[in-house]
Amino acid sequence: MPEEKLCVPTLLTCTAPVNIAVIKYWGKRNEDLILPINSSLSVTLHQNQLKTTTTVASCKHFKEDRIWLNGKEVDINHPRLQSCLREIRRLARKRHSDEENNSEKLNLSQKVHICSVNNFPTAAGLASSAAGYACLVYALAKLYGVQGELSKVARQGSGSACRSMYGGFVQWIMGNRSDGKDSIAEELHPETHWPQLRILILVVSSERKPVGSSAGMQTSVKTSPLLKYRAESVVPQRMKEMVDAIGQRNFEKFAELTMKDSNQFHATCGDTYPPIFYLNDVSKRIMNMVHRYNSHYGNIKAAYTFDAGPNAVIFTLDEDVGEFIELVKEHFPPETNGELFLKGLPVSKVTLSEELKSAIGMEPCSNGIDYIISTKVGPGPQIVEDTSRYLLGLDGLPK
Amino acid sequence: MPEEKLCVPTLLTCTAPVNIAVIKYWGKRNEDLILPINSSLSVTLHQNQLKTTTTVASCKHFKEDRIWLNGKEVDINHPRLQSCLREIRRLARKRHSDEENNSEKLNLSQKVHICSVNNFPTAAGLASSAAGYACLVYALAKLYGVQGELSKVARQGSGSACRSMYGGFVQWIMGNRSDGKDSIAEELHPETHWPQLRILILVVSSERKPVGSSAGMQTSVKTSPLLKYRAESVVPQRMKEMVDAIGQRNFEKFAELTMKDSNQFHATCGDTYPPIFYLNDVSKRIMNMVHRYNSHYGNIKAAYTFDAGPNAVIFTLDEDVGEFIELVKEHFPPETNGELFLKGLPVSKVTLSEELKSAIGMEPCSNGIDYIISTKVGPGPQIVEDTSRYLLGLDGLPK
């Protein structure tokens, strides 16, 4: 029938960033709504290096909602996916009923196809779910014409996804309400706020699959007395100090708080019963190297932070990033050559001084680090105009 | 002169045990008096496997106080050694002045020679200072005829030494007084209280010298918010629960508290800035193996605890110790043969079931554990009657 042949899907593509928390989120007070036991604060990483791309399509001929992740169709009935879909559709319905004359309204009974890819390996241990859910929610909201505060929708996919809804420096305010409406992310400063800040991801070799963060934080909430204390009595003050440090671009204060908070998060994992360990011996060597590097200069020039895995994320200022990378190469001699070892933003070559090398005084550890991703602070989710980058074709299937 | 030739030293020899804390001591509220920020509780290990032997000698011809540790003369002016010597002499003077007619009083102006050896390698990472100071204080007290509560003297040598002044199950009550007079150890139960309890020390290979415990706990007290909370709000309740569990010989409760408290101690080390790590990847594999072993049976049959180093101390009941050792051999295949791998108390041979092996499901890790010391709960310090075991000769010098 001619009418049916003319019907092509409405297609829309977005990208969203990864974020790295400097005040860590660990523990939910409500598992379904994903409400955290403390506020957290993150830096959004630049999408030139790390991003999720998601294409959404809607068409009256689609028989069911479907989703493809990194080239493979997966079950759309995952509860958290369903939470996001349901919530966006609810907001869309609400908006359409508010604006009765909306001419461009999308038929809400139409099914969607979703296709999403990361430009970084899942094995890199980066929080791909944060970028993934942020991208999904952003894209669906654009598709359905939903506006307003969307971080609370992304939060229901994956807690930290709410922070990937913004660029720059982002806080996730824990909120108090039991319905979660005040548990939202907000941008403290855009990505242009602190242009000197550089970020390195040190991808650590690891054969072991660590405990997933959802299960991990659930056990921690149940069993760790220290986590409860951290959430209630340590984090509120740290949030304030971190907001100040970032506001003033005070690198030393920012760096110290970042390291302390990463350490405290891992301490609460160790206080969990049975204990959870995300840091391995290479992670600890990196930490040790950072502390010795800072000691050598008598001020803090680099900071580490670790999420639920052994990979280090390092913050430095641009004047020091070249030296720090040489330090890594010196102490973790790469198997591959330098070009493959360092990915992302280019870094100027620096020669390490002998004093610095001997001040560190650590034996080199071969092959401990697989590669480094060099990046910086970046913007929030973006719409992709170029249709050649769309992941779904006009047939609504992955290209 | 004939009179001088006749003067031979007064000689006395004692032994003292190692103890392992199940509620950990970490942090001082007074560095000089060695007053802890929380109470702690330990099990005294049997001296048939691990002990310090100390001979003390006094003679009017000795020109100065001297000390030999493990075959090497060391500086007697170490502040903590001096604290113990000074305190014992003060108590001796007090006693002598109280009992004016004391005919056997030792001339307090006479110098002492001290010679001390451990029957276990320092490299084993066992708290040799606890046994060492306990032995020193016990021997000096006998030499000077000092009686009464001596744990507060040993405490001034090394905090945990006060717990090595008793056998069996010992608590160190933190006390409140600023002069430390109420910070003493006391025996809760003698070593005969729980004859089924078995103890294994898994000596883990380690190339790194960890941060010393005195320096470590000082940094923790200064920098870890979690340590303060632990000491004030977690330990008091745990002490009560542990006293109950031991009183009732409730192995599951004892084991769970032991593991949780070890984990929390290491968590506070990780929350220290810069962080302190005593557990290495092998330590964590052992912990993982213990949890999987317990899971397999659905009840707790083994517990680990770790002090300021990577070695594990394992508690089991005698009916399970053979199986646990086979489990260790299976997952940490020794380089040496079985005889050299297992030292100390003999253990009956057991064959592991295939179900158990597959329930553990871990890859074997070669050479992670150097050897095992098999022991049990033991008595407190002892006097050695056999003069052939004395460490100093009649010339007052090491034999």
Side-chain angles (χ1 to χ4, degrees), chain A residues 146-161:
Chain A
V146 172
Q147 283 167 337
E149 217 297 304
L150 294 169
S151 75
K152 61 177 165 295
V153 185
R155 191 202 72 223
Q156 293 175 61
S158 170
S160 56

Side-chain angles (χ1 to χ4, degrees), chain A residues 225-226 229 234 238 256 259-260 263-264 267 270-275 277 279-281 284 287 291 300 304, chain B residues 225-226 229 234 238 256 259-260 263-264 267-268 270-275 277 279-281 284 287 291 300 304:
Chain A
L226 300 185
Y229 176 74
V234 179
R238 276 200 182 156
E256 187 179 320
M259 291 189 277
K260 284 184 169 175
N263 294 340
Q264 188 166 88
D271 186 49
T272 299
Y273 184 80
F277 297 109
L279 305 175
N280 66 20
D281 284 351
K284 290 177 197 168
M287 295 164 79
H291 284 294
I300 306 183
Y304 55 75
Chain B
L226 300 186
Y229 176 74
V234 179
R238 275 198 182 159
E256 186 179 320
M259 291 189 276
K260 284 184 170 175
N263 294 340
Q264 188 167 87
T268 64
D271 186 49
T272 299
Y273 184 80
F277 297 110
L279 305 175
N280 65 21
D281 284 353
K284 290 177 197 166
M287 295 165 78
H291 285 293
I300 306 184
Y304 53 76

Side-chain angles (χ1 to χ4, degrees), chain A residues 184-197:
Chain A
I184 56 168
E186 61 178 41
E187 190 174 298
L188 289 166
H189 302 280
E191 80 266 23
T192 51
H193 169 69
W194 198 348
Q196 298 82 8
L197 198 63

Side-chain angles (χ1 to χ4, degrees), chain A residues 250-322:
Chain A
N250 180 338
F251 184 77
E252 290 215 49
K253 194 67 202 155
F254 167 78
E256 187 179 320
L257 282 168
T258 295
M259 291 189 277
K260 284 184 169 175
D261 206 70
S262 172
N263 294 340
Q264 188 166 88
F265 151 55
H266 291 281
T268 63
C269 290
D271 186 49
T272 299
Y273 184 80
I276 304 166
F277 297 109
Y278 291 120
L279 305 175
N280 66 20
D281 284 351
V282 172
S283 313
K284 290 177 197 168
R285 276 172 171 274
I286 294 169
M287 295 164 79
N288 194 12
M289 186 183 74
V290 168
H291 284 294
R292 290 181 187 207
Y293 176 61
N294 292 335
S295 287
H296 173 66
Y297 283 107
N299 67 327
I300 306 183
K301 282 171 162 280
Y304 55 75
T305 186
F306 295 81
D307 275 349
N311 296 337
V313 176
I314 303 289
F315 293 96
T316 65
L317 294 176
D318 52 9
E319 65 208 37
D320 298 315
V321 67

Side-chain angles (χ1 to χ4, degrees), chain A residues 29-282:
Chain A
R29 63 178 200 278
N30 181 315
E31 292 284 331
D32 293 329
L33 293 172
I34 310 192
L35 301 176
I37 59 170
N38 60 255
S39 297
S40 55
L41 201 152
S42 62
V43 178
T44 297
L45 306 193
H46 205 287
Q47 296 178 52
N48 283 353
Q49 281 73 50
L50 301 160
K51 66 166 180 272
T52 295
T53 304
T54 300
T55 297
V56 288
S58 180
C59 173
K60 66 174 173 180
H61 290 164
F62 290 171
K63 296 204 171 61
E64 48 184 359
D65 295 329
R66 293 176 73 180
I67 184 165
W68 292 262
L69 295 184
N70 294 313
K72 240 181 78 180
E73 182 161 15
V74 296
D75 185 3
I76 192 81
N77 293 312
H78 188 287
R80 294 187 172 183
L81 263 175
Q82 287 296 320
S83 292
C84 290
L85 269 167
R86 190 174 51 239
E87 193 62 13
I88 284 288
R89 283 172 169 153
R90 191 184 64 77
L91 292 171
R93 254 193 310 276
K94 188 165 173 286
R95 184 168 179 245
H96 290 200
S97 66
D98 291 353
E99 300 170 26
E100 284 187 24
N101 296 324
N102 188 337
S103 59
E104 39 160 4
K105 76 173 159 188
L106 193 73
N107 189 335
L108 285 166
S109 64
Q110 282 183 14
K111 301 297 179 187
V112 290
H113 284 188
I114 302 160
C115 186
S116 188
V117 296
N118 299 325
N119 72 341
F120 53 93
T122 311
L126 298 155
S128 58
S129 64
Y133 276 105
C135 206
L136 172 74
V137 167
Y138 194 81
L140 287 174
K142 293 287 170 201
L143 183 73
Y144 286 117
V146 172
Q147 283 167 337
E149 217 297 304
L150 294 169
S151 75
K152 61 177 165 295
V153 185
R155 191 202 72 223
Q156 293 175 61
S158 170
S160 56
C162 71
R163 297 187 315 238
S164 277
M165 294 299 282
Y166 298 99
F169 301 82
V170 182
Q171 67 174 327
W172 174 11
I173 298 160
M174 64 178 286
N176 299 310
R177 292 176 56 141
S178 58
D179 65 4
K181 293 235 163 82
D182 58 351
S183 188
I184 56 168
E186 61 178 41
E187 190 174 298
L188 289 166
H189 302 280
E191 80 266 23
T192 51
H193 169 69
W194 198 348
Q196 298 82 8
L197 198 63
R198 292 291 298 268
I199 301 162
L200 302 171
I201 300 160
L202 276 45
V203 178
V204 167
S205 321
S206 174
E207 73 286 14
R208 278 192 286 173
K209 172 81 191 119
V211 176
S213 57
S214 284
M217 62 176 81
Q218 218 171 332
T219 315
S220 293
V221 168
K222 272 190 208 139
T223 64
S224 170
L226 300 185
L227 176 61
K228 190 175 148 65
Y229 176 74
R230 159 178 165 71
E232 289 171 4
S233 303
V234 179
V235 172
Q237 177 62 22
R238 276 200 182 156
M239 281 294 291
K240 283 185 201 147
E241 290 175 32
M242 187 59 98
V243 168
D244 286 351
I246 292 169
Q248 298 156 6
R249 299 182 201 88
N250 180 338
F251 184 77
E252 290 215 49
K253 194 67 202 155
F254 167 78
E256 187 179 320
L257 282 168
T258 295
M259 291 189 277
K260 284 184 169 175
D261 206 70
S262 172
N263 294 340
Q264 188 166 88
F265 151 55
H266 291 281
T268 63
C269 290
D271 186 49
T272 299
Y273 184 80
I276 304 166
F277 297 109
Y278 291 120
L279 305 175
N280 66 20
D281 284 351
V282 172

